[in-house]
Amino acid sequence: MRVLIAEDERMLADSIAEGLRAEALAVDVVYDGDAALERLGVHDYDVLVLDRDLPVVHGDDVCRAAVESGALVRVLMLTAAVAVPARVEGLRIGADDYLTKPFAFEELVARVQALGRRARPAAPPALERAGIRLDPSRREVLRDGRYVHLARKEFGLLAELLRADGTIVSAERLLEKVWDEHTDPFTNTVRVTLMKLRRKLGDPPVIETVPGAGYRIR
């Protein structure tokens, strides 16, 4: 899942990003509405965590633009306003959910994950293929009944391959969905992570490299 955080309180924005990355999410951060619109025009995000009172371009206008663009991104709006009319107005302009400051980080994580599930087609609770079973809610992977311990990026990469249901996923797509914008697009990090993932999954090999196209699990 890829998340954009648009929040002008830099310490808060960076703290949220650090916490979400610890949950194996790819996270980008901007500090004003203009930068948020720029990122939304370049990347396909699953969830936008949006401060309503952004500078340069107001959060309401960012929300409207995201909705009008037809993007699948889900919007979690943050605000210090606690009055019901303010929350209702935010939902009416297109926000999918609302969270008032201060908030418990655990609640924000739960809301982001719930919105992320809504941003993509419904999927079964666990992903299964070729003897592999990945349970996103429990962060658990089994290979032919054997528990496999994976690092965060290995888990995210395997999840994207399983969601593809046997179709080819390009290295660019994996980089887009599992890593964030600070990753060098010319890096070999996808190949290296795949090498580690294959080693942990063991034999017989299940991840196929399709030359010039990408990777798939048959």
Side-chain angles (χ1 to χ4, degrees):
M1 187 191 306
R2 189 162 185 174
V3 179
L4 175 63
I5 298 171
E7 165 63 63
D8 67 322
E9 296 181 41
R10 290 179 177 250
M11 289 185 62
L12 174 60
D14 295 343
S15 176
I16 293 173
E18 182 179 353
L20 291 179
R21 288 174 184 139
E23 296 294 325
L25 305 183
V27 184
D28 298 333
V29 182
V30 294
Y31 307 108
D32 64 65
D34 186 56
L37 291 174
E38 179 184 351
R39 293 298 197 286
L40 289 168
V42 174
H43 301 295
D44 293 326
Y45 291 99
D46 297 293
V47 179
L48 168 62
V49 179
L50 177 65
D51 177 33
R52 189 169 188 183
D53 296 316
L54 284 176
V56 186
V57 178
H58 195 272
D60 286 359
D61 295 322
V62 173
C63 185
R64 289 191 187 96
V67 172
E68 291 171 1
S69 72
L72 296 178
V73 64
R74 300 291 183 174
V75 180
L76 172 59
M77 189 170 279
L78 304 179
T79 183
V82 296
V84 171
R87 297 201 301 271
V88 170
E89 183 182 0
L91 294 170
R92 283 177 174 167
I93 65 174
D96 297 278
D97 200 357
Y98 217 94
L99 194 57
T100 56
K101 303 176 184 179
F103 50 80
F105 181 72
E106 293 79 4
E107 182 179 4
L108 181 139
V109 171
R111 289 177 183 268
V112 167
Q113 291 174 332
L115 290 174
R117 289 192 294 270
R118 291 167 53 191
R120 60 185 60 179
L127 302 167
E128 297 188 57
R129 191 174 187 85
I132 299 171
R133 185 176 192 277
L134 182 147
D135 188 333
S137 62
R138 299 175 64 180
R139 292 198 49 75
E140 180 180 82
V141 174
L142 301 176
R143 170 78 192 270
D144 297 324
R146 171 181 62 89
Y147 175 75
V148 181
H149 175 73
L150 298 180
R152 286 182 293 149
K153 295 304 183 184
E154 296 162 357
F155 187 94
L157 193 152
L158 179 59
E160 289 301 321
L161 289 173
L162 289 171
R163 287 191 184 102
D165 197 27
T167 60
I168 298 171
V169 185
S170 68
E172 293 77 13
R173 175 68 176 176
L174 292 172
L175 197 65
E176 167 83 13
K177 299 304 291 185
V178 182
W179 282 266
D180 59 35
E181 67 178 357
H182 299 293
T183 304
D184 182 352
F186 300 104
T187 183
N188 64 351
T189 187
V190 172
R191 183 177 60 82
V192 172
T193 305
L194 269 168
M195 180 179 65
K196 294 177 181 178
L197 176 59
R198 282 170 164 146
R199 186 184 306 126
K200 290 183 178 182
L201 291 175
D203 293 324
V206 293
I207 301 176
E208 176 187 3
T209 298
V210 182
Y215 308 90
R216 66 182 171 193
I217 297 178
R218 285 189 173 273

